[in-house]
Amino acid sequence: MHKDSSPDVVVVAPDPDWTVQGEDLAEELYGLLRPLAVHVEHIGSTAVPGMAAKPVLDLQISVHELEEAEGAFTGPLADRGFALAPYRQDHVPAGSDDDPARWTKRLWTRQGHQGLDVNLHVRQAGSPNERLALLFRDWLRAHPEAVPAYARFKQVLAQAVPDLATYADVKDPVVDLVVAVAEPWARATGWQPSATKTARPAAHRR
């Protein structure tokens, strides 16, 4: 998860407009960055209906090669207010012996721009961190009964910690618990990342 030293973590009530904003931005970025951008998806808590969240859109761009994407994306994204962050490593779930090198990414952020702030996660297509982001989102979408409890946890946590780095460190193991429950669901339902992130025509994105 993205870590920062920003103080005053704020988790706000859900806004139905987040879904529209996330899908619109995903569509814009896909048009800007393809063909290197294989898929662009709205992920994270703002992509889950009814979920309280930090007022920041998280989007995921799937690419074949991170180094190639970094070189190609930096200019176009800078023109739209995005800055490349130094953070390049995702949290590896507890209990996993996976190679951390498989959990790398690139991260661009946009703050103080028109609309919500944005975290743009660029991950390799087929990587475990790309898959986890989609599974986490889709399990919560499929289990709305779990949304209030997770939302309440984040609200209490945001009031109890001094900064976003601590917030992320405490939240990561809880995300691991959700994923541990989501994996059997994925097997039972036949869920696959490829079924959730096919690029759609603009008329069908909403």
Side-chain angles (χ1 to χ4, degrees):
M1 297 293 172
H2 171 49
K3 295 177 174 59
D4 193 352
S5 59
S6 304
D8 302 325
V9 183
V10 176
V11 173
V12 301
D15 183 344
D17 194 46
W18 287 342
T19 299
V20 176
Q21 293 181 53
E23 291 183 349
D24 285 349
L25 182 56
E27 182 180 321
E28 175 189 341
L29 292 172
Y30 179 69
L32 174 69
L33 301 174
R34 63 182 181 184
L36 293 184
V38 181
H39 307 287
V40 183
E41 288 284 338
H42 181 200
I43 60 168
S45 291
T46 58
V48 177
M51 178 68 76
K54 301 189 305 296
V56 179
L57 294 177
D58 284 280
L59 278 86
Q60 175 169 274
I61 297 181
S62 302
V63 301
H64 291 304
E65 296 290 342
L66 289 175
E67 292 289 347
E68 180 184 25
E70 180 180 352
F73 291 176
T74 296
L77 289 175
D79 291 342
R80 285 160 176 77
F82 287 92
L84 180 63
Y87 182 73
R88 297 190 171 194
Q89 183 69 44
D90 277 324
H91 164 76
V92 179
S96 172
D97 59 358
D98 202 5
D99 182 354
R102 286 170 25 91
W103 293 75
T104 58
K105 70 175 180 182
R106 299 296 184 269
L107 176 69
W108 277 265
T109 63
R110 185 169 73 183
Q111 299 177 334
H113 195 268
Q114 182 178 2
L116 295 178
D117 290 348
V118 180
N119 292 327
L120 184 58
H121 310 261
V122 179
R123 298 181 172 114
Q124 189 167 7
S127 64
N129 49 346
E130 182 217 31
R131 179 183 182 277
L132 184 145
L134 296 170
L135 175 60
F136 181 79
R137 178 199 66 184
D138 289 355
W139 187 86
L140 283 169
R141 285 178 172 178
H143 296 83
E145 69 278 9
V147 168
Y150 185 63
R152 182 58 181 157
F153 158 71
K154 293 195 302 174
Q155 290 168 327
V156 172
L157 177 61
Q159 296 171 0
V161 298
D163 52 55
L164 190 55
T166 307
Y167 177 86
D169 284 339
V170 175
K171 186 164 69 72
D172 278 344
V174 177
V175 172
D176 294 348
L177 287 172
V178 173
V179 172
V181 174
E183 288 291 2
W185 169 81
R187 292 191 294 270
T189 61
W191 177 90
Q192 293 291 334
S194 58
T196 69
K197 58 190 180 67
T198 302
R200 299 179 295 278
H204 298 135
R205 291 195 66 89
R206 299 188 184 184

